[in-house]
Amino acid sequence: MKKKWLLFFLLLKLSCAFAQNPIGLPNIISYYRSDYNGGLQNRSIVQDKNGIIYFANSEGLLSFDGTYWNLYPLPNKTIIRSIAFGKDGRIYAGGQNEMGYFSPNKTGNLVFTSLKNLLPEKITSFKDIWDIVSYDDKIFFRSQNNIFQFDGKFITAYQPVSQWQFLGSCNGQLIAQDATKGLFQFSNGEWSPLVVNKSLPQDLAVTALLHLSKDSILITTLKKGLFVLTRQKVSGFKFKGPDPFLNQQIMCAMAMDDGHLAVGTHMGGLYIIDKQGRILQNFTRKEGLQNNTVLSLFLDKDRNLWMGLDDGIDFNAYNSAIKHIYPEKLNEGAGYSAILFNRVLYIGTSNWLYQLPVDDNPDLSDINGTFKTVPGTKASAWGLFKVNNNLLLAHHEGAFQIKDKQAFPINTHFGYWNFTPYDKVLPSSTIIAGGYNGLDLIKYNNNAFTAAGTINFGESSRFVIVQNHTAWVAHTYKGIYRIDISSPAYPQTKLYTNKNGLPSVLKNRLFNIKNRMVVATEKGIYEYNAGTDRFEPSAYFNAIFKDKNLCFLKEDNQGNIWFIEEKKLGVADYSGPTPKLIYFPELNGKLVSDFENIYPLNEENIFVGAEKGFYHINYKKYKANKSSIQVLVRMVKASGDADNILNGGYNNAKKALQQLSSKQNSLHFEYSTPSFQKQSNIEYSYYLKNFDKEWSAWSKRTEKDYTNLSEGTYTFEIKARSNLGDESAITSFTFTVLPPWYRTIWAYIVYGMLFIAFNYLFYKWLKRKFVREKLKHAQEQKRLKYLHQLEMEKSEKEIIALKNEKLESEILGKNSELASVAMHLLQKGELLGKIREELVSLRKSTDDMPSEELKKLIRILNQESKIDKEWDQFAEYFDNTHSDFLKAIKEIHPNLNAHELKLCAYLRMNLSSKEMAQLMNISVRGVEISRYRLRKKLQVPTEINLNTYFTDFSSLKKETS
C-alpha cells in the first residue's frame, strides 16, 4: 500500500514537473483540413527562399503563402511521406512507389517530374519513400529496401543488410540505420558501419539526428528516448529531472536556432528542452494544439514553429513578442486588471484575483509558475491600484486591501470601480472611491484604510478624476458630472452634456494623460475650458488621434499613450521626433469589451485585458522584430472565352511577360506576404501602370480584378507594409493585351492598302464622275438645247399648225371656191353648149340670120367650150392647193383615167355625192358606182373610207417613199 502511495506521489510530482510552462504562451494558429482541403497527416515541412511553406500531406504536396493554400497530388494519387529542397531549388517528394520532384513551369505552376524511369532495370517497384536528404549536391531517397542516390542524371540503388529504418544528416555526415546492423555512414559512394549494434539498445528506431556540438549528435528514438553519439560512442541523454520520454513515442525532433530542442511526440504534444536537459515548455491541447500527435516540425525564417500533426497543421508563434497569459486552468475569465506589486504579479479577472511571485526575468511572460487565487476575491476584480504604497482592490464585492497574499475588506456594502487620492501630497489621508452607487470616502491612517462615509452623489462612478476639491465623474450614458466635494454632505453637482460642448452624452470616459484631464469620446479627445465652462476638442491630442472613437487611454513611463479604438489596440509612440501611431492587429477583436484595461509596466511588459485572461506584449522586442517583407504575386488569371492561368505563383513574377488576346482582357490577381506571424499586420497597395492614375489606398485585400482592358502593355505593381511602417519592395507583373485582329499591324497594313485602293478608286470614281458629270452636263445642255429646239419646233409646229389650220381653212375655202369654179365652169360649159346647140339648130332652121354672123358666134362658143382645156387649168390649180395630189396619185396609180382622176379630186375636196354628180354631170347613183369602181381599182379595203384615204394620201405617199 505504501508503495502505491509512493508511486502516486512520484507520478504527481513528475506531472507537476512537466507542467511548468512559462505563464506567457505564444499564439497558436490551427489550420484544419477544412482550411487547406488536404488529407490527414503532414509528415514533412520545408520552406523556399520566397517564404512559402510546403507540407508532405496525405493527399499531395501542400503549399501555403500566408493567405492561399494549394494542393498538388502525385500522378498516382498516393500519400507523400517526405519532401526536401535540393540545391537546384526543386522540391523532391516521395510517396508510395513514386519519387521525383516538383518545379515550376514557364507560367509558374508547380508540375511533378517522376524519376522512376531512371531506376536500375532490376528495380521495378518500391515501397514508401520515408526520408529524403539533400547531401553533397545529391538527393537521397529512403525506402525500406533501398536508398536511392540521384546525382542529377542517374540513380544508384543501395540495398540494406536487413531493412533501412532511417536516413538523415547531421554534423556534415549522412547517416542511415539498418534494422539489424545499426548505424551506417555514407562516404566515397559506400555505406560503412558507424556504430556497432551492440552499442545501442535493442529494437532501437532512430527518428532524428540533432546537433549538440562539433563532436556530438543527439539521437532521438521512437520508444527508447534520447541518446548522445560522441566519437562513435553512444550514451543516454541526461535530464535535469525525470525523463519525460520514458513512456513517450518520439515522432520527430529538430534543433532550434536559440540552442533549444523541439521534440514532437505521439499523444504527448510538443516539448521544448535545452541542451542541459531542462524541460522549458510542453504544448498540448490544453495550450491550444489541435491534437497531441506531432509528426513533423519546422522552424521558419522568422523563427516560428510549424507542426505537422496527425490531423491538421499548427503554427506556433514561438518568436512572437505577444504572449497569452491564462491565470486559470480552464483558460476562462475575462481580464480586467493587472499590477506588479512587491515582486508579485496580480491578475484580476471576471472570476478571481490571481497572484504569482516573479523573479528577475525582464520579460515576465517567460516566468515559470502557476497562478494562485487570492482568498476572498471570488467574482469580478475590476481594478488594482497602488495607493500610499499599498495595494487596493476594486472588487464586485467591495473595496479590499491586498497584503500578505490575502484580501482585507475595507468596505463591502457594494461594488467599487476605482480609488483616487484626494490630496496632492502623498501619502493622502483621504481616498475617493468610485463605486456602483456613487462616491465614497476612505481614510488612511497608520498604514490602514477605513471607510469614512459617502459623498451625496448617487450615480455609478467608474471614471473619476479629482482636482482641487472637485471630482469629475464620467457616466457612460448620461454625460460628465462636476462635483464640489469640499462639503461631502452637500456637494454641488453640474452635468455636462452635448449642450455643453460634448459630442454626445454616450460613451464619455475620463483619463489623466500628460497631467491633463481628457475625455475620450466617440469623436476624438475633448478637454475642459474653465474660461467658457465648456468641453472643447483638444487641439494637442486631436492632432495625433484626430476624431477616433477611443474608449481607453493610458500613459506609460516613457510618455507613450496606449489606447483602445473600437476593440483595436494601439500606441502613440513618442520615441521619435513626432508621435507615431502603431496598431497591433494581432489582437483585433480579442480584447475585453466595455471593461478595457491596459497596464504598461515597462517596455518589456505591457499587459492588455483580453476576453480570456491577458495578453502580454514585449514592446521592446515587438519593435525590434523587424523582418524584411516580401510580397508575392501568387496567381494571375486571365478570363474571357476561357480562363487561363498566366502565373501560378512559383516563379519570379518580374520576369514574366504574357501576351493576351483581346478576348482575354479581364485579369484576376492574387498576392500575399509569407510573413505568417505578422499576417494580420500586413496591408497592400496596388497600381496598374497605363490604367490606374495612382496607387490604391492601403487595405488587407489580397486580390484585385481588372475587367475589359483595352489593348496595350500594362504592369501590375503590388507592395506591402507592416503596422510598424515597414514597406516591401515592389513586385510587378507585366503583360500585354493584344488588339483584336481588326486592330493589329497587319490589319492596319490592310487598312492602309484598302485606304490607298479606296482613294485610287475614289479618284477614278471622281474622275469618271467628273467625266460623267461633264458628259451629263453636255447631255443636259444638249437636252436643254434639244428641249429648246423642241420648244422652238413645238412653237414652230404650233405656228405651222396654226398656219396649217389657216391653210386648211384657206384650202377649205379654196375647195369651196374650186367647187364653185368647177360648178361655174360646168354650168358655163353647159350653158355655152346649149347656146351653141341652139345657134346651130337656129342656123339650120332659120335662113333669115346672117350665116357669117352665126358662124362667128359658133366659133366663139366652140373656143369657150374647150372643157378639157379648162380641166387642165383646174387640175393645175388643184395640185397647187393640194401639194400635187393629182400628180402623186398618177405616179402611184398611172392606170387612172381622167374621169377617175376627177372623182379622186372631188373626194379629196370632201364633196358630197350630190355635188360630185352635178360636177360630173351624172346621177348620184353614177357617183356611187364610180366610187365603187375606183375603190376596186385602187385596192382600198372596204373598212377604209375613200375620203379618209385621200385625206391621208400625202402621209401615205411619204411612208411609201
Side-chain angles (χ1 to χ4, degrees):
M1 189 69 179
K2 290 182 178 179
K3 290 182 178 180
K4 289 184 179 179
W5 279 105
L6 181 61
L7 180 61
F8 171 78
F9 284 115
L10 285 175
L11 290 174
L12 181 62
K13 184 177 181 181
L14 186 62
S15 64
C16 292
F18 293 164
Q20 292 298 311
N21 280 330
I23 63 171
L25 296 175
N27 187 33
I28 295 178
I29 301 175
S30 294
Y31 298 103
Y32 301 90
R33 278 184 293 157
S34 58
D35 296 321
Y36 57 76
N37 293 321
L40 285 172
Q41 297 180 344
N42 297 278
R43 288 187 171 273
S44 185
I45 309 171
V46 295
Q47 185 177 31
D48 67 15
K49 62 181 180 180
N50 291 325
I52 300 173
I53 295 286
Y54 301 87
F55 303 86
N57 185 261
S58 298
E59 295 183 3
L61 179 69
L62 191 63
S63 73
F64 182 50
D65 59 18
T67 304
Y68 299 102
W69 293 91
N70 290 298
L71 183 66
Y72 301 91
L74 291 177
N76 61 5
K77 307 296 183 182
T78 62
I79 184 173
I80 293 183
R81 298 289 188 184
S82 56
I83 55 175
F85 262 105
K87 291 184 178 180
D88 53 9
R90 297 169 175 172
I91 307 172
Y92 289 88
Q96 295 174 346
N97 196 34
E98 185 62 272
M99 64 180 181
Y101 59 86
F102 288 92
S103 61
N105 59 13
K106 292 182 180 179
T107 58
N109 292 291
L110 282 185
V111 293
F112 181 78
T113 302
S114 178
L115 298 176
K116 288 176 61 178
N117 60 318
L118 301 179
L119 289 174
E121 293 182 1
K122 62 180 180 179
I123 301 176
T124 58
S125 64
F126 50 88
K127 296 183 180 180
D128 296 74
I129 300 294
W130 289 96
D131 298 313
I132 302 176
V133 178
S134 176
Y135 178 78
D136 194 21
D137 295 331
K138 299 177 178 64
I139 303 297
F140 292 82
F141 301 84
R142 179 188 73 85
S143 69
Q144 288 184 348
N145 297 326
N146 289 281
I147 290 179
F148 301 104
Q149 173 191 303
F150 175 60
D151 62 4
K153 295 182 179 180
F154 305 101
I155 289 181
T156 305
Y158 299 95
Q159 294 180 347
V161 176
S162 58
Q163 279 188 350
W164 292 118
Q165 285 190 318
F166 173 79
L167 176 67
S169 64
C170 186
N171 289 358
Q173 297 173 288
L174 182 63
I175 298 174
Q177 183 191 15
D178 183 273
T180 60
K181 294 297 183 179
L183 299 179
F184 284 76
Q185 179 181 357
F186 185 77
S187 178
N188 298 323
E190 294 182 350
W191 290 96
S192 57
L194 180 63
V195 177
V196 295
N197 196 47
K198 294 180 181 179
S199 301
L200 294 173
Q202 292 183 352
D203 301 326
L204 187 73
V206 178
T207 56
L209 300 175
L210 308 180
H211 169 79
L212 282 181
S213 66
K214 182 179 180 181
D215 300 321
S216 299
I217 296 175
L218 179 68
I219 301 175
T220 65
T221 67
L222 183 63
K223 297 180 180 180
K224 301 297 182 179
L226 278 60
F227 298 88
V228 178
L229 171 62
T230 304
R231 297 183 183 90
Q232 297 188 344
K233 292 183 180 180
V234 176
S235 59
F237 182 79
K238 296 181 180 180
F239 286 90
K240 299 289 186 180
D243 185 348
F245 305 114
L246 283 176
N247 298 308
Q248 294 275 13
Q249 292 185 18
I250 299 176
M251 307 301 296
C252 57
M254 67 172 298
M256 305 180 72
D257 58 358
D258 57 0
H260 295 166
L261 306 173
V263 180
T265 69
H266 176 71
M267 300 300 293
L270 171 69
Y271 286 86
I272 305 295
I273 64 176
D274 61 15
K275 294 180 180 180
Q276 290 72 40
R278 288 190 291 264
I279 305 298
L280 304 178
Q281 284 182 304
N282 177 211
F283 294 95
T284 63
R285 293 187 65 179
K286 179 180 180 297
E287 285 73 31
L289 299 186
Q290 293 183 63
N291 61 74
N292 291 336
T293 299
V294 181
L295 300 179
S296 57
L297 293 167
F298 183 78
L299 193 70
D300 67 20
K301 63 179 183 179
D302 293 325
R303 299 183 62 247
N304 294 301
L305 194 59
W306 291 86
M307 291 169 279
L309 306 179
D310 189 51
D311 183 6
I313 297 170
D314 278 349
F315 170 78
N316 186 329
Y318 184 77
N319 191 40
S320 175
I322 300 177
K323 303 289 180 63
H324 207 159
I325 297 177
Y326 298 104
E328 302 177 357
K329 291 182 180 180
L330 298 178
N331 299 342
E332 297 177 349
Y336 289 157
S337 57
I339 197 170
L340 180 66
F341 184 77
N342 291 342
R343 297 180 64 83
V344 176
L345 177 63
Y346 293 93
I347 298 290
T349 73
S350 56
N351 296 331
W352 288 88
L353 175 65
Y354 295 87
Q355 57 186 348
L356 175 69
V358 302
D359 54 24
D360 294 328
N361 198 319
D363 188 331
L364 297 181
S365 67
D366 291 336
I367 297 173
N368 289 75
T370 303
F371 282 95
K372 295 182 179 180
T373 60
V374 176
T377 60
K378 185 177 182 180
S380 299
W382 296 119
L384 291 163
F385 300 87
K386 185 178 180 180
V387 179
N388 295 342
N389 206 29
N390 286 273
L391 181 61
L392 299 184
L393 170 64
H395 193 269
H396 178 70
E397 300 293 340
F400 296 88
Q401 181 182 3
I402 306 299
K403 60 181 179 180
D404 300 328
K405 299 181 182 180
Q406 299 289 324
F408 297 93
I410 301 172
N411 191 338
T412 57
H413 290 164
F414 50 83
Y416 285 88
W417 300 111
N418 53 69
F419 303 100
T420 306
Y422 181 79
D423 303 318
K424 291 184 177 180
V425 179
L426 299 179
S428 176
S429 60
T430 303
I431 310 299
I432 305 297
Y436 292 1
N437 296 329
L439 299 175
D440 283 353
L441 296 174
I442 296 176
K443 291 295 184 180
Y444 175 73
N445 188 23
N446 294 328
N447 205 31
F449 296 88
T450 57
T454 299
I455 297 175
N456 191 13
F457 174 73
E459 297 290 348
S460 176
S461 304
R462 183 178 163 197
F463 300 94
V464 178
I465 290 181
V466 177
Q467 293 179 338
N468 300 325
H469 308 295
T470 300
W472 294 87
V473 176
H475 197 283
T476 54
Y477 61 86
K478 290 186 177 181
I480 295 177
Y481 292 92
R482 187 179 70 176
I483 307 165
D484 183 354
I485 57 175
S486 57
S487 177
Y490 304 100
Q492 296 181 359
T493 302
K494 181 177 180 179
L495 176 62
Y496 292 81
T497 65
N498 54 335
K499 296 180 181 179
N500 307 97
L502 293 173
S504 170
V505 297
L506 302 175
K507 296 185 178 181
N508 298 299
R509 303 180 179 192
L510 286 168
F511 301 97
N512 195 342
I513 306 295
K514 303 290 184 184
N515 294 319
R516 301 160 75 165
M517 183 186 75
V518 299
V519 184
T521 74
E522 293 179 307
K523 295 184 178 180
I525 296 178
Y526 282 67
E527 292 189 85
Y528 176 69
N529 187 332
T532 60
D533 192 28
R534 291 176 62 85
F535 283 90
E536 300 173 352
S538 172
Y540 173 78
F541 289 105
N542 285 337
I544 304 169
F545 297 100
K546 303 190 182 303
D547 57 352
K548 297 182 182 300
N549 181 2
L550 303 174
C551 55
F552 193 88
L553 297 168
K554 187 70 174 182
E555 184 179 1
D556 65 17
N557 296 332
Q558 288 74 38
N560 304 316
I561 303 174
W562 294 80
F563 63 91
I564 295 177
E565 174 197 348
E566 297 179 345
K567 297 186 180 182
K568 296 188 295 184
L569 175 67
V571 60
D573 191 305
Y574 279 75
S575 60
T578 57
K580 177 183 178 182
L581 294 185
I582 298 174
Y583 287 89
F584 299 83
E586 301 95 330
L587 304 182
N588 285 354
K590 298 179 181 180
L591 307 183
V592 65
S593 181
D594 292 329
F595 298 99
E596 299 82 2
N597 182 266
I598 302 173
Y599 173 56
L601 176 62
N602 52 45
E603 271 194 313
E604 296 175 284
N605 296 280
I606 310 294
F607 294 85
V608 183
E611 292 179 347
K612 293 182 179 181
F614 265 81
Y615 282 103
H616 176 277
I617 302 174
N618 187 328
Y619 187 50
K620 182 179 180 180
K621 181 179 179 181
Y622 190 90
K623 291 194 294 183
N625 267 354
K626 288 189 175 183
S627 58
S628 60
I629 304 174
Q630 182 182 10
V631 61
L632 305 176
V633 175
R634 295 295 292 133
M635 178 180 286
V636 182
K637 181 170 66 176
S639 59
D641 293 342
D643 290 343
N644 181 21
I645 302 297
L646 307 180
N647 192 320
Y650 294 96
N651 62 0
N652 191 341
K654 292 183 179 179
K655 296 181 181 178
L657 179 61
Q658 298 286 341
Q659 290 188 335
L660 308 176
S661 68
S662 60
K663 294 182 179 180
Q664 290 187 319
N665 62 346
S666 295
L667 279 86
H668 173 76
F669 294 91
E670 293 179 1
Y671 40 87
S672 183
T673 298
S675 180
F676 306 98
Q677 176 186 332
K678 299 179 180 179
Q679 193 60 229
S680 59
N681 303 1
I682 304 299
E683 294 180 320
Y684 300 91
S685 179
Y686 54 82
Y687 173 66
L688 184 63
K689 284 186 177 179
N690 298 329
F691 185 84
D692 291 329
K693 295 182 180 180
E694 59 185 11
W695 283 87
S696 70
W698 293 99
S699 74
K700 293 188 177 297
R701 285 191 59 191
T702 57
E703 58 184 5
K704 174 60 181 175
D705 289 283
Y706 290 94
T707 58
N708 298 323
L709 294 174
S710 58
E711 66 264 25
T713 298
Y714 301 88
T715 299
F716 179 75
E717 296 184 338
I718 183 69
K719 59 184 178 179
R721 74 173 181 183
S722 70
N723 60 323
L724 296 176
D726 302 321
E727 281 194 19
S728 70
I730 295 174
T731 299
S732 62
F733 179 85
T734 302
F735 61 96
T736 298
V737 177
L738 298 175
W741 64 266
Y742 51 85
R743 285 207 292 266
T744 60
I745 294 177
W746 291 109
Y748 285 118
I749 292 174
V750 173
Y751 297 154
M753 296 174 65
L754 290 175
F755 180 73
I756 294 172
F758 173 78
N759 285 338
Y760 176 75
L761 294 174
F762 184 68
Y763 166 74
K764 297 292 289 183
W765 177 78
L766 282 178
K767 187 175 180 180
R768 287 197 300 269
K769 182 179 179 183
F770 176 74
V771 173
R772 287 196 304 269
E773 289 292 334
K774 187 175 180 182
L775 181 61
K776 185 177 179 181
H777 180 70
Q779 291 176 344
E780 182 67 18
Q781 291 296 322
K782 186 176 180 181
R783 188 181 70 84
L784 292 175
K785 186 176 180 180
Y786 174 73
L787 290 175
H788 179 67
Q789 186 68 28
L790 289 177
E791 288 293 331
M792 291 182 65
E793 290 179 358
K794 183 179 179 181
S795 299
E796 290 177 358
K797 286 182 178 180
E798 289 178 353
I799 294 172
I800 291 171
L802 291 174
K803 288 181 178 180
N804 289 337
E805 289 179 1
K806 184 178 179 182
L807 288 174
E808 287 179 359
S809 298
E810 291 178 355
I811 288 171
L812 289 175
K814 291 198 180 280
N815 284 339
S816 299
E817 291 178 1
L818 285 172
S820 299
V821 169
M823 291 294 291
H824 177 70
L825 288 174
L826 220 63
Q827 292 173 356
K828 179 182 176 182
E830 290 177 354
L831 179 60
L832 290 175
K834 287 179 178 181
I835 293 173
R836 186 178 61 83
E837 291 177 355
E838 288 292 333
L839 288 175
V840 170
S841 108
L842 182 61
R843 187 177 68 104
K844 291 177 176 182
S845 60
T846 305
D847 295 328
D848 293 335
M849 291 186 68
S851 58
E852 289 295 332
E853 292 294 332
L854 289 171
K855 289 180 179 180
K856 183 179 180 181
L857 288 171
I858 291 170
R859 266 194 317 273
I860 295 170
L861 291 173
N862 286 334
Q863 291 178 351
E864 291 293 336
S865 63
K866 291 179 180 178
I867 201 71
D868 292 333
K869 189 176 181 178
E870 291 176 353
W871 166 253
D872 291 338
Q873 292 178 355
F874 173 80
E876 184 178 357
Y877 184 71
F878 183 85
D879 278 342
N880 289 334
T881 304
H882 290 279
S883 302
D884 297 327
F885 172 77
L886 293 175
K887 291 180 180 180
I889 202 167
K890 283 179 181 181
E891 291 177 0
I892 297 173
H893 303 287
N895 56 344
L896 295 178
N897 55 33
H899 178 78
E900 291 170 341
L901 287 173
K902 288 180 182 179
L903 181 60
C904 290
Y906 296 152
L907 289 171
R908 176 69 180 84
M909 291 173 62
N910 203 19
L911 297 180
S912 65
S913 297
K914 184 179 181 180
E915 290 174 333
M916 287 187 289
Q918 293 175 352
L919 289 172
M920 296 177 68
N921 198 21
I922 59 176
S923 64
V924 174
R925 176 65 180 170
V927 171
E928 294 295 331
I929 294 171
S930 297
R931 286 169 64 104
Y932 172 75
R933 290 174 179 170
L934 181 61
R935 176 188 297 276
K936 192 172 182 181
K937 197 170 188 176
L938 296 178
Q939 297 180 353
V940 177
T942 57
E943 62 268 15
I944 297 177
N945 188 277
L946 282 176
N947 295 64
T948 304
Y949 174 78
F950 289 119
T951 303
D952 298 335
F953 181 78
S954 297
S955 58
L956 182 64
K957 176 180 176 293
K958 291 179 181 178
E959 292 176 1
T960 305
S961 61

